[in-house]
Amino acid sequence: MQTNKMSKFQKKLKRRRDLFKHTTNYSDSINKRKQLTIQLSQNKREQQLFKRRNFNNTDQTNTVSQEKQKEKKTPTIDELPSLLKGIQSQDIDEVKNNLTSLRIMVSEKDSPLDLIIEEGTLQILIHFLYPQLDNYIRFQTAWILTNLCSGTTEQTLIVVELGFIPKLILLLDSGDANLIEQVEIALPTLSSLLKSTNYSVISDVCWTFNYISNEGSDYIDAIIEFDAIPVLIQLLRNTRTQIKTPSLLTISNIVSGNHQQTQSVLDEELLDNLKYLLNDHQNHIRKETLRILSNITAGTKSQIKAVIKSGYIKTIIDILKNDVWSIQKQALWVLSNAVCEGSAKQVNYIIKCNSLQLFCFFLRRTEPKLIKICLDALVKILQIGKDQSEKNGSYINKYKMEMEEFQILKDLQKLAIHEVKSISKIANYLIDFYFTNEQEEIGNFD
C-alpha cells in the first residue's frame, strides 16, 4: 500500500476548491465505449465528496469495527491454502472473514503474491468486484487486487489482463465513498500502467483516469499528485483513437478545474502537444481540443498569454472563417473567453488578427449562447476602445467605427427585442451607450 502518499492525499480531501470553470458533460462520448457502459450520476458523486469517511465505517460498507480489526493477526504462509479455500465458501460470513485475512496478508511486506496468483484465485477475486455482490466483499477484494497490482510488472499484467481495470471503474458508480476511495489508492499503480506496452491496458487505464477526473477537484489533485499528467499528454500523440480519445477527455476534465490545476497541465507543455490535434481527421478530437483551449482562455491572463504566444489565435480565426459550424462553435468560445478574460494588450492583439468582423458576423446566428458570448466580447472590446480613446484625448473609439463598417447597428436592433432577456439587455446597452448620436456629440464637444 502507498501509505505515505495516501496520508498526503487524505489531507487534500479536506480542502474544498473554488474558481471552477465551465465543464462539459462527456457522458455521450464515454458511453460509446462498449466495454464500460457506466451512467455517471453527478449529484450522487458530489454528495460523496462531502461524505468522506475512514475505511472502517459501518454506515457505508459494514466494515468490521476497529477493535475487531486489531484482533486479527497477519496470517502465515501456511494458512494461505485455507484462506483461498475459504473465499470460495457458500457461507458469506466465512467469505468475508477469509477475504479480510487475505487482505491483511497481502498488505504486508514480502507477502506471497506469486503464491496467490499461482493458486488460480484471481478469477474468483475479479468476480467479487461485480456490483451485484456485497459492498464489503467488493471493498476487501479491491484492496487485495490493488496490492497484487503493486507487485512486479509481470504480476501487475496478469491481474490487469484478467479485466481488473474495467471492474475497478465500476466501483466509481457504486455510490459508496469507501469503494471510490479504494480506486484512489490504486492511482500510483494505474499511473505506472500508462507506460505499458500493451495498448489495451493503456486504453483501459486512460478511461479509468477519465472517469476519476470527472469526479471533481480532489480527484483531479490526486491524478496530478501521482504524476500521470506528463504521460497522458504524451499519449495525445498516439495514433490509436482508443488511447488518444480518453487521454484527451482526461486532460479536458483537468483544465476545466481551477486555475492551479490548469497550470499544472500547461507546465507539462500541453500547448505544444495540442497543435496537431486541430488537424485531426476526427471531428470529436478537434472539438475536444478546442474545448480544452476555451477552458485555458477562461483562465488567468498569463494562461491566455501562453495560448497567444503558442500561435493559436490565428489558427482559431482561420477555423472560424473556413470550418464547419460544429467546429466553429467551439472555436468561438476560445476567442470570446480570451477577449473577456484578457488584458487590453491581449485584446488589441486578437483584434489585429481580424477577429472583430467575426464577432459581428456570428451575432446573426440563432443559438442564444453563442450570441451571448459574442455580445460579451463586443462589450469588452468597445470598453477598451473607449478607454484608449479617452487616454489619447481623441474621443474617437476606433473599434466602434470598425463595427459600424460591418453594419452592426442593424444586428443590435434585432437583438434588442430578442426573447432571451440577457441578450436584449446587452444589445440595448450597446445601442444606447455606443451607437447613438448623443454620445458622438458629447465627444465632439470635448
Side-chain angles (χ1 to χ4, degrees):
M1 301 294 288
Q2 300 284 333
T3 53
N4 292 335
K5 286 286 187 182
M6 185 59 188
S7 61
K8 182 179 178 183
F9 180 63
Q10 288 285 18
K11 293 177 182 178
K12 288 193 174 188
L13 288 175
K14 297 178 182 178
R15 293 184 291 133
R16 306 312 307 160
R17 300 282 194 174
D18 54 8
L19 301 176
F20 276 92
K21 289 173 271 186
H22 172 74
T23 58
T24 305
N25 184 356
Y26 302 115
S27 60
D28 290 343
S29 56
I30 294 171
N31 284 336
K32 292 179 181 178
R33 182 168 167 78
K34 294 180 181 179
Q35 300 96 315
L36 304 171
T37 55
I38 299 172
Q39 179 62 45
L40 296 176
S41 176
Q42 291 296 338
N43 291 336
K44 180 172 63 179
R45 300 280 172 76
E46 289 171 6
Q47 290 173 1
Q48 291 302 327
L49 292 177
F50 295 96
K51 295 180 180 178
R52 314 300 294 168
R53 287 175 167 81
N54 293 327
F55 285 151
N56 300 320
N57 186 327
T58 57
D59 292 334
Q60 287 287 335
T61 52
N62 296 319
T63 56
V64 293
S65 66
Q66 291 184 1
E67 289 75 19
K68 287 185 178 180
Q69 289 281 15
K70 291 178 181 178
E71 291 173 5
K72 282 189 172 294
K73 296 180 181 179
T74 302
T76 64
I77 294 180
D78 292 338
E79 296 175 84
L80 180 59
S82 176
L83 295 179
L84 298 180
K85 182 178 179 181
I87 66 174
Q88 303 177 55
S89 171
Q90 297 299 313
D91 185 333
I92 191 169
D93 289 330
E94 186 176 350
V95 172
K96 290 179 179 180
N97 187 56
N98 282 281
L99 275 175
T100 302
S101 297
L102 186 61
R103 187 262 301 162
I104 293 172
M105 174 181 282
V106 299
S107 298
E108 295 293 321
K109 287 184 177 180
D110 302 321
S111 57
L113 301 184
D114 277 334
L115 289 177
I116 296 172
I117 292 173
E118 288 172 5
E119 289 295 327
T121 55
L122 290 181
Q123 290 88 344
I124 297 171
L125 292 173
I126 294 292
H127 176 76
F128 282 163
L129 292 177
Y130 276 94
Q132 296 86 350
L133 297 179
D134 182 273
N135 274 357
Y136 179 81
I137 290 177
R138 298 176 75 198
F139 173 78
Q140 296 293 339
T141 301
W143 198 332
I144 292 168
L145 289 169
T146 298
N147 277 283
L148 292 176
C149 280
S150 65
T152 65
T153 302
E154 291 76 14
Q155 291 168 342
T156 300
L157 286 177
I158 291 172
V159 177
V160 169
E161 288 173 357
L162 284 174
F164 173 52
I165 294 176
K167 301 299 186 301
L168 191 68
I169 297 175
L170 290 174
L171 301 183
L172 289 172
D173 207 41
S174 67
D176 188 306
N178 287 329
L179 287 174
I180 294 173
E181 195 170 275
Q182 192 56 52
V183 176
E184 294 160 5
I185 294 176
L187 285 176
T189 299
L190 293 174
S191 294
S192 66
L193 288 173
L194 286 173
K195 300 176 182 178
S196 169
T197 56
N198 185 314
Y199 296 123
S200 178
V201 169
I202 296 174
S203 178
D204 282 342
V205 173
C206 288
W207 279 108
T208 304
F209 277 118
N210 176 44
Y211 283 111
I212 294 172
S213 63
N214 227 346
E215 291 293 317
S217 183
D218 291 319
Y219 299 88
I220 290 174
D221 280 341
I223 294 173
I224 294 170
E225 180 179 334
F226 293 114
D227 299 325
I229 303 299
V231 185
L232 285 168
I233 290 176
Q234 291 175 12
L235 291 174
L236 295 178
R237 292 183 174 272
N238 195 289
T239 57
R240 293 169 177 81
T241 301
Q242 68 268 30
I243 292 176
K244 181 165 50 179
T245 296
S247 301
L248 191 64
L249 288 170
T250 303
I251 296 298
S252 189
N253 285 343
I254 294 171
V255 299
S256 69
N258 59 47
H259 296 330
Q260 292 78 14
Q261 290 165 341
T262 299
Q263 191 60 47
S264 70
V265 180
L266 289 174
D267 290 342
E268 299 296 338
E269 300 181 351
L270 171 66
L271 292 174
D272 289 341
N273 288 276
L274 279 183
K275 286 182 178 179
Y276 85 104
L277 292 179
L278 290 176
N279 296 317
D280 196 277
H281 69 282
Q282 302 172 95
N283 277 356
H284 80 274
I285 294 292
R286 298 171 64 211
K287 284 193 278 190
E288 204 62 53
T289 302
L290 289 167
R291 275 198 198 101
I292 291 173
L293 290 170
S294 71
N295 270 316
I296 296 172
T297 57
T300 65
K301 290 177 175 57
S302 64
Q303 290 168 351
I304 295 172
K305 180 181 179 180
V307 173
I308 293 174
K309 289 189 69 175
S310 296
Y312 279 96
I313 298 301
K314 292 182 179 179
T315 302
I316 297 301
I317 289 174
D318 185 62
I319 290 173
L320 288 169
K321 288 180 178 179
N322 303 308
D323 222 312
V324 296
W325 174 232
S326 62
I327 303 297
Q328 287 177 325
K329 288 193 290 186
Q330 299 301 328
L332 194 58
W333 279 99
V334 179
L335 208 60
S336 177
N337 287 347
V339 168
C340 292
E341 302 298 329
S343 65
K345 183 178 180 181
Q346 291 168 344
V347 173
N348 287 332
Y349 170 78
I350 292 171
I351 296 173
K352 285 181 181 179
C353 294
N354 299 317
S355 63
L356 192 54
Q357 183 177 6
L358 294 170
F359 283 124
C360 295
F361 172 77
F362 283 109
L363 286 178
R364 299 165 191 169
R365 288 288 184 173
T366 58
E367 296 183 31
K369 285 185 179 179
L370 298 178
I371 295 172
K372 176 66 165 53
I373 64 173
C374 287
L375 287 172
D376 290 339
L378 292 174
V379 169
K380 176 74 173 286
I381 291 169
L382 285 167
Q383 182 61 54
I384 290 175
K386 179 177 179 292
D387 293 342
Q388 290 175 348
S389 66
E390 290 176 353
K391 183 179 179 180
N392 297 332
S394 66
Y395 292 94
I396 298 176
N397 190 330
K398 63 179 181 179
Y399 295 143
K400 174 203 165 185
M401 294 179 67
E402 285 187 46
M403 291 180 195
E404 287 177 332
E405 292 178 8
F406 306 136
Q407 298 182 331
I408 191 175
L409 184 56
K410 291 182 180 179
D411 296 315
L412 291 176
Q413 288 170 338
K414 291 179 182 178
L415 295 175
I417 56 173
H418 199 279
E419 60 184 4
V420 177
K421 290 184 178 180
S422 59
I423 290 176
S424 61
K425 184 178 179 180
I426 298 175
N428 278 297
Y429 164 76
L430 291 175
I431 292 171
D432 294 340
F433 197 79
Y434 290 103
F435 296 97
T436 60
N437 292 329
E438 288 83 357
Q439 184 68 22
E440 291 180 356
E441 290 170 3
I442 292 172
N444 290 335
F445 245 143
D446 294 339

